[in-house]
Amino acid sequence: MRKKNTRSPFLVLALALAASALLSVAVGSVFIPLPTLWDVVTSALRGATSTLDVNGVYLKIISDLRLPRMLMLTMVGAALAGSGAAYQGLFRNPLADPFLIGVSSGAGLGAVLAMLARSPYTRGGLLSVPLAAFCGALLTVLIVTLLARVGKTVPTTNLILAGVAVSSFTSAVTSALMIHSTGELRRALVWLMGGAIMTGWSPILAVLPYMLIALAGLVLIGHPLNVLQFGEEQALQLGIRVQRARWITIALATLSTAAAVAFAGIIGFVGLVVPHIIRLLWGTDYRRLIPLSMLGGASLLLLTDVAARSLIAPQEIPVGIITALLGAPFFLWVLKLAKAQNYW
Amino acid sequence: MLEVNALSAGYYHELVLEDISLQLPQGSVLALIGPNGSGKTTLIRAISGVLPLRAGSVKVAGQDIYSLSPQQRARIIAVVPQARSIPPAFSAEEVVALGRTPHLNWLGKVNGKDMQIIEEALEKMDLLALRSRAVSELSGGEQQRLFLARALAQESPLLLLDEPTTHLDLQYQVSLMQRIHQLAHPAKEELAKGMQPKTVVVAIHDLNLVSRFADQVGLLVGGKLAALGKPEEVLNAGLLSGAYNLPLEVLKEHGYTLVIPAHTPAQNNS
């Protein structure tokens, strides 16, 4: 089928990610041409000052703003797409996306509760926000699964309906909490729309341990997810400890979603769009699908962010708005496709 | 090889199987027959280790299978289920490769030996030409062979098949049963190559296939083993007519046993 060459998709997507990363550092309210960017970075690495950047403005923009933002978006995009692919495999459902099944909103509520207790940029905030987001997300995924479950299967419509209901509820609670906290309203709204990407280096350091554990774990669970595609009973008959594999998948996918939401707000549809394109191009084997989705998700989010920063510059559009504008029609298309030809 | 002792099993408050005991030597095919709802599928599931027993035990090669881990169990028992959920986007080869799961670690990395076993399983089921097709593009008969190939890739001494001939036309029914028979009774050349005869339990409706391809027959009625023995002993007009609640005739033609509904006046009138 479409599995002949297992190297080339990785190469293609790695190059795409490199290009997106460069673009993300170069483009913004101040455009830094690539030769200048190259010269500034290589000079800084040598400990010198670039002749093209005499007063050091470019270097400051790159090192203090663009580079940490680029790294954060890379991790967030990888986490959202990787967890989307994992949820799809877990629920055996093509429409599972951390946003659509309500996990993101649950993480959001957890994060907001923690933010109300502590400012997100203090050390206590940086440590407690992702943990609270993880608890909120885990609770949501359990509630949604319980609500959507019919016997041993989770039908698409039930999953989406339960996800919508639970995420409406948690979003409402989040909004109420945010309105209550005076003066923070605008920031809160931006955060809800997925425009609260934390910049600077300390959030990167804070999110790194969560991301490393969650992303590495997700890359390693491809094989049990493949076997789970035959259903619970056959997976057991093929020698998989089904419950354990399920719980590990839920924990890892939810941890990556929570980390992404805690540091970037609620960004929807990346986890739906990216794994789908990858699946159509390179097949369903989760051992490849998950890492490829991560590479693709990181590139997509970086490009979306470039668009978000340049479309109405110097104003910024929250990145979540653009992913929703792209993702919602895609979602409808997938829904139609999944119904017409059961290609899942 | 397979020993079932006083097995009782069921779902929730309903007892489906009661006091089943049977023994099957290596290299033989046991056909489970009986009317719908008599417990054939439940017995297959109970022997496969996925249905906790109410009483009794299942032993394969002397080991109590309910005391084994899923992985250890999957190395000695392979199942071709009746109700299959097939991920249609997988290719045929990917499905067969997943049969190696009990021999692989958590990462599922296959080595050269695994590849060779996958290749042999595909070849044995005549699937080499279809290996890169998506499962959804295969016909019912090809899917049956595919799942049998996946079970072969497990390299288990015991094979459990739940109604493998359902939805197949006559030609495929016979050819599939021939393949199953050959697995239990390999040709001399295959034995010389080191192939071990499989032990097979197959739930099946077609009594005429049973008489041709089974070494032993178990007749289930209402969750109990009403008869167990050689085909010519169990395929007996009196026993079967009672079990199926329908007058049946057993004929011997060309060395085969044929079971057909008896010619009754009621049918003449209709």
Side-chain angles (χ1 to χ4, degrees):
Chain A
M1 179 167 65
R2 44 223 152 169
K3 57 157 293 190
K4 292 291 166 277
N5 197 336
T6 50
R7 288 264 168 68
S8 71
F10 281 100
L11 193 66
V12 168
L13 289 176
L15 287 175
L17 179 57
S20 317
L22 267 182
L23 206 61
S24 167
V25 176
V27 177
S29 47
V30 177
F31 179 73
I32 307 173
L34 284 183
T36 314
L37 179 64
W38 174 257
D39 198 59
V40 170
V41 172
T42 47
S43 308
L45 288 176
R46 284 198 313 267
T49 308
S50 165
T51 46
L52 300 170
D53 183 30
V54 191
N55 45 18
V57 176
Y58 282 156
L59 184 60
K60 197 143 185 63
I61 291 179
I62 293 167
S63 69
D64 290 2
L65 296 172
R66 302 252 174 103
L67 203 56
R69 188 185 178 103
M70 185 273 282
L71 289 174
M72 180 60 86
L73 284 163
T74 301
M75 287 192 281
V76 168
L80 290 174
S83 61
Y87 282 126
Q88 286 160 21
L90 179 75
F91 291 116
R92 294 201 285 146
N93 195 315
L95 293 172
D97 164 85
F99 174 68
L100 288 172
I101 62 175
V103 182
S104 298
S105 326
L109 179 56
V112 166
L113 284 171
M115 282 180 197
L116 285 178
R118 289 168 181 283
S119 164
Y121 276 97
T122 62
R123 182 176 295 173
L126 285 175
L127 291 175
S128 63
V129 169
L131 272 183
F134 179 59
C135 295
L138 200 56
L139 203 62
T140 315
V141 78
L142 295 182
I143 292 172
V144 168
T145 314
L146 278 178
L147 288 174
R149 216 176 151 100
V150 177
K152 283 180 178 171
T153 60
V154 181
T156 303
T157 26
N158 287 22
L159 184 68
I160 302 301
L161 288 178
V164 167
V166 172
S167 82
S168 306
F169 183 80
T170 45
S171 304
V173 176
T174 309
S175 305
L177 285 171
M178 286 179 147
I179 285 168
H180 192 66
S181 67
T182 48
E184 293 272 296
L185 184 60
R186 203 196 102 72
R187 212 177 64 82
L189 272 176
V190 170
W191 189 85
L192 268 185
M193 288 185 285
I197 297 137
M198 284 193 173
T199 45
W201 288 98
S202 44
I204 298 272
L205 290 178
V207 79
L208 204 60
Y210 297 100
M211 288 291 188
L212 282 181
I213 292 171
L215 297 185
L218 283 177
V219 167
L220 298 179
I221 57 165
H223 175 59
L225 272 179
N226 277 341
V227 183
L228 278 177
Q229 301 314 301
F230 290 108
E232 200 168 327
E233 182 155 324
Q234 286 188 55
L236 185 59
Q237 287 165 341
L238 284 167
I240 294 286
R241 287 181 196 274
V242 174
Q243 293 310 322
R244 192 171 73 175
R246 280 225 170 115
W247 279 113
I248 291 174
T249 309
I250 288 187
L252 291 170
T254 307
L255 183 63
S256 18
T257 306
V261 169
F263 290 93
I266 295 173
I267 298 171
F269 296 101
V270 175
L272 175 79
V273 173
V274 176
H276 259 285
I277 295 173
I278 306 285
R279 198 179 273 122
L280 287 174
L281 289 175
W282 292 300
T284 311
D285 185 341
Y286 281 88
R287 287 172 302 171
R288 275 179 296 131
L289 179 63
I290 290 176
L292 288 175
S293 295
M294 289 176 180
L295 289 172
S299 314
L300 179 70
L301 199 60
L302 285 170
L303 293 177
T304 316
D305 180 62
V306 168
R309 281 184 288 147
S310 34
L311 282 179
I312 53 165
Q315 286 263 31
E316 246 182 55
I317 309 172
V319 116
I321 290 184
I322 298 191
T323 61
L325 284 175
L326 295 172
F330 189 90
F331 166 79
L332 294 174
W333 176 67
V334 170
L335 192 67
K336 202 168 168 235
L337 199 70
K339 268 189 182 166
Q341 47 177 109
N342 59 346
Y343 87 110
W344 173 252
Chain B
M1 172 65 207
L2 171 66
E3 277 176 73
V4 178
N5 290 312
L7 176 150
S8 295
Y11 309 99
Y12 305 107
H13 301 296
E14 182 198 2
L15 198 63
V16 179
L17 295 171
E18 235 183 303
D19 198 27
I20 308 272
S21 293
L22 58 87
Q23 290 187 347
L24 194 61
Q26 189 188 3
S28 49
V29 177
L30 167 68
L32 292 174
I33 60 170
N36 288 330
S38 58
K40 299 188 292 293
T41 296
T42 309
L43 184 53
I44 296 266
R45 296 184 68 217
I47 297 174
S48 83
V50 298
L51 187 69
L53 304 181
R54 298 283 175 83
S57 67
V58 177
K59 285 184 182 165
V60 176
Q63 283 179 298
D64 183 342
I65 60 141
Y66 279 88
S67 68
L68 300 176
S69 74
Q71 185 177 34
Q72 291 170 320
R73 212 158 46 214
R75 286 181 186 175
I76 54 175
I77 306 172
V79 187
V80 177
Q82 182 188 9
R84 291 182 309 245
S85 47
I86 308 171
F90 277 134
S91 71
E93 188 174 351
E94 284 169 331
V95 169
V96 177
L98 288 170
R100 294 301 296 159
T101 300
H103 305 274
L104 306 175
N105 63 14
W106 180 259
L107 291 178
K109 184 130 185 67
V110 290
N111 60 24
K113 183 174 162 262
D114 296 312
M115 296 295 283
Q116 195 193 332
I117 290 161
I118 293 162
E119 200 74 18
E120 282 168 13
L122 284 166
E123 193 193 339
K124 215 167 243 166
M125 290 298 127
D126 285 333
L127 290 165
L128 283 174
L130 304 173
R131 62 193 306 162
S132 50
R133 291 271 191 88
V135 176
S136 55
E137 295 168 19
L138 301 181
S139 71
E142 288 162 350
Q143 288 186 1
Q144 283 292 4
R145 270 150 53 204
L146 179 60
F147 273 73
L148 202 51
R150 189 190 77 180
L152 290 183
Q154 271 178 264
E155 286 196 305
S156 63
L158 179 63
L159 270 181
L160 307 176
L161 302 110
D162 196 357
E163 308 223 0
T165 56
T166 325
H167 307 307
L168 297 190
D169 69 27
L170 208 53
Q171 179 205 344
Y172 278 122
Q173 289 185 14
V174 172
S175 94
L176 193 79
M177 289 308 291
Q178 263 166 354
R179 288 165 200 270
I180 290 166
H181 187 82
Q182 279 165 9
L183 293 172
H185 305 278
K188 281 208 181 85
E189 313 84 74
E190 290 180 305
L191 285 172
K193 275 193 279 175
M195 186 185 156
Q196 291 290 318
K198 303 259 187 201
T199 308
V200 183
V201 178
V202 50
I204 188 165
H205 269 302
D206 191 319
L207 301 176
N208 298 322
L209 288 174
V210 168
S211 65
R212 235 172 118 172
F213 296 109
D215 301 302
Q216 285 204 56
V217 181
L219 171 65
L220 281 167
V221 182
K224 291 187 182 137
L225 205 52
L228 179 68
K230 292 200 158 58
E232 55 270 27
E233 295 161 9
V234 179
L235 298 178
N236 152 316
L239 260 175
L240 294 177
S241 300
Y244 286 91
N245 198 19
L246 177 78
L248 294 169
E249 272 181 57
V250 176
L251 308 175
K252 304 268 179 197
E253 285 286 336
H254 310 296
Y256 293 125
T257 309
L258 297 176
V259 182
I260 56 167
H263 208 62
T264 62
Q267 280 181 329
N268 275 347
N269 293 342
S270 60

